Amino acid sequence: QVQLVESGGGLVQPGGSLRLSCAASGTIFSINIMGWYRQAPGKQRELVAVISSGGMTNYADSVKGRFSISRDSAKNTVFLQMNILKPEDTAVYYCYVRGPAGYWGQGTQVTVSS
């Protein structure tokens, strides 16, 4: 069983920054992909950013140049640095990790509002 613990969400003004963290624990074998998805009210869950075990990254077009994903593989932790936040970034952000199977975190709320 794998547990994902997310932290770092909250309320921020437009133009501000937040840093999300997600630590995976439990029986973990060969995590390949780690990443973040988000779901806004009334919308489908969408990819924000993912990073492979080799360091390759992929970002949604809407966050390129503003968000940065990184990982500490030794600690099974993934980070999402979010800068220049916009109201449309408001959503529940979910951590996702994939090895032989995929696992989701419980979600952390990010609200961008003045």
Side-chain angles (χ1 to χ4, degrees), residues 8-69:
L11 172 64
V12 64
Q13 291 186 343
S17 298
L18 283 174
R19 187 177 191 237
L20 304 182
S21 300
C22 173
S25 62
T27 305
I28 303 172
F29 299 101
S30 302
I31 291 179
N32 180 15
I33 299 295
M34 303 186 80
W36 296 91
Y37 287 70
R38 67 187 180 187
Q39 187 166 18
K43 295 187 177 181
Q44 291 187 332
R45 190 173 298 188
E46 63 176 3
L47 179 145
V48 177
V50 291
I51 183 169
S52 72
S53 56
M56 292 184 65
T57 59
N58 186 35
Y59 294 91
D61 288 342
S62 60
V63 307
K64 284 180 180 177
R66 301 188 297 121
F67 291 11
S68 178
I69 190 169

